Amino acid sequence: MNDMVILGIETSCDDTGVALVQGGRRILANVVQSQVAVHREFGGVVPEVASRKHIANIGVVLEECMERSGLGLNEVDVIAVTNRPGLIGALLVGVSFAKGLAYALGKPLLAINHLEGHIYANFLEHEGIEFPLVCLIVSGGHTSLVYMRNHGVMEVMGQTRDDAAGEAFDKISRFLGLGYPGGPAIEKAARLGREGVYQLPRAYLEKDGFEFSFSGLKTATMNLWNRLKKSGQEVDVNHLAAEFQAAVVDVLVEKTIAAARHRGVRTVLLAGGVAANTRLRERMSEGCREIGLNLFYPSIALCTDNAAMIAACAAYRWGLDSPAPLQLNAYPGL
Ligand code: KG4
Ligand code: ZN
């Protein structure tokens, strides 16, 4: 691994992130300005508002990152920016800002895939991750099982056909009046409740496939709630949150372990915002331990969106990709 200092920039959704990472592993500074308080009153991310907040915040976030690191911009070797997938207006802020910086400093620019960035939160923190491996990426926008043969060599084995796991958490949290973002809110409520008091389905789809679907579970949860209310019963939100969380996690764990067995790998990674979920971390650990798989997941702060994972990813992509031209664009899809 080279020893370059990489400045990462992340603005794909509602977090404005700038970070400095050396050699792909050493975080010199990692600043994230969250917009949660702004979007909370709308119950979800409002794209236009996110873009405007990124514009207002990004310069300040860069300034704070440089100050915390004690480095000057002239000590940065490479600029790395998320340019896909995400909210287009939000991505364009980061990409424009990165291009301006790269041009002004005369430094190379690398374009990074946000999902690949999530995977590299693991390489940032853990030593001894061996290929080939299977990674479950679970966030607000994506639920994918990825097979990775080596750095930069990956294949999507399956993804969600409808809602992402995090999206399901967010929507059900809103429905139950638990607030935004939904994942942490449901996890908190679930801790006060018990699984199995209510019964919700586990959506495995084809038993030996690697695709996910969470919209049926979402409907089943809402129907159960409405049925209980109609029959005049009090609904215990904590028990319902616990069962909902269990239904999501059971499917994620079973499919990930099946994918690891199918490919004969010995390493499993978790990545993305939903990887912060304690029940998912515990159940995946148990499942992997049972059949001798090595499991890695990032610390909670590096599961959700941040720019350190983007800079770390760029350290491994350096040499695989040519630097991006100044015509670099942003793309909402993969
Ligand atoms: O990776 P991320 O920060 O942004 C995207 O790329 O989407 O993930 C955000 C998602 C949200 O849907 C949020 O509800 C979910 O991650 N999340 C969680 C937890 N913390 C965040 N879901 C379940 N349990 C958590 N503890
Ligand atoms: Zn993300």
Side-chain angles (χ1 to χ4, degrees):
M1 174 55 54
N2 56 63
D3 209 33
M4 289 185 311
V5 174
I6 303 190
L7 179 83
I9 296 173
E10 159 61 44
T11 63
S12 68
C13 191
D14 62 337
D15 292 299
T16 314
V18 180
L20 279 165
V21 173
Q22 185 162 29
R25 290 191 50 88
R26 200 156 79 86
I27 299 179
L28 305 175
N30 182 25
V31 182
V32 181
Q33 170 82 58
S34 163
Q35 300 179 9
V36 160
V38 187
H39 297 286
R40 183 170 282 136
E41 61 180 288
F42 303 102
V45 178
V46 183
E48 160 107 16
V49 174
S51 312
R52 290 175 185 277
K53 283 284 158 191
H54 284 309
I55 282 277
N57 293 343
I58 192 148
V60 184
V61 173
L62 170 70
E63 218 166 29
E64 191 173 333
C65 176
M66 298 314 297
E67 205 172 293
R68 282 196 207 169
S69 74
L71 295 193
L73 278 171
N74 57 337
E75 290 168 277
V76 171
D77 296 308
V78 176
I79 315 273
V81 64
T82 304
N83 80 324
R84 66 199 186 282
L87 301 171
I88 190 66
L91 285 166
L92 286 171
V93 174
V95 169
S96 308
F97 192 77
K99 285 208 257 187
L101 264 183
Y103 182 73
L105 298 171
K107 303 291 178 186
L109 178 66
L110 278 187
I112 301 297
N113 177 321
H114 180 77
L115 296 185
E116 197 178 342
H118 271 301
I119 298 175
Y120 277 84
N122 284 292
F123 290 94
L124 186 52
E125 293 193 293
H126 304 299
E127 267 175 298
I129 299 177
E130 284 176 12
F131 292 105
L133 57 84
V134 162
C135 180
L136 173 70
I137 309 173
V138 261
S139 71
H142 299 271
T143 301
S144 309
L145 271 170
V146 174
Y147 171 73
M148 237 175 134
R149 193 146 46 81
N150 208 332
H151 291 295
V153 191
M154 51 187 87
E155 181 191 321
V156 177
M157 297 176 69
Q159 40 197 328
T160 180
R161 292 188 187 165
D162 38 62
D163 290 349
E167 190 180 356
F169 270 101
D170 293 338
K171 286 178 176 168
I172 288 302
S173 178
R174 189 172 171 180
F175 177 78
L176 297 178
L178 292 172
Y180 172 83
I186 293 215
E187 176 164 0
K188 195 167 156 219
R191 235 176 267 135
L192 305 170
R194 248 191 357 265
E195 296 166 19
V197 175
Y198 300 118
Q199 268 102 40
L200 289 170
R202 272 56 173 164
Y204 290 108
L205 299 177
E206 295 93 48
K207 204 68 183 146
D208 47 1
F210 303 115
E211 307 255 281
F212 299 93
S213 168
F214 293 107
S215 74
L217 171 63
K218 193 183 63 193
T219 311
T221 310
M222 292 174 176
N223 287 347
L224 175 63
W225 167 279
N226 290 331
R227 222 172 32 245
L228 291 167
K229 282 274 172 191
K230 244 193 215 146
S231 64
Q233 295 182 55
E234 238 352 277
V235 186
D236 186 311
V237 175
N238 297 333
H239 291 330
L240 192 52
E243 178 64 11
F244 172 80
Q245 175 178 261
V248 174
V249 166
D250 288 350
V251 174
L252 293 175
V253 171
E254 182 151 324
K255 295 249 171 199
T256 304
I257 291 187
R261 290 187 112 129
H262 179 73
R263 291 294 176 125
V265 304
R266 297 197 45 214
T267 310
V268 172
L269 307 183
L270 278 180
V274 182
N277 185 274
T278 309
R279 191 183 186 279
L280 174 61
R281 292 156 90 101
E282 285 174 1
R283 289 298 162 100
M284 196 71 86
S285 300
E286 285 164 22
C288 286
R289 204 179 312 120
E290 270 170 25
I291 58 167
L293 296 170
N294 295 317
L295 173 71
F296 298 89
Y297 44 75
S299 58
I300 305 253
L302 291 177
C303 284
T304 45
D305 289 350
N306 65 86
M309 68 187 195
I310 301 303
C313 182
Y316 292 88
R317 290 223 68 101
W318 183 255
L320 295 176
D321 299 339
S322 334
L326 282 174
Q327 289 93 326
L328 178 69
N329 215 328
Y331 304 92
L334 276 171

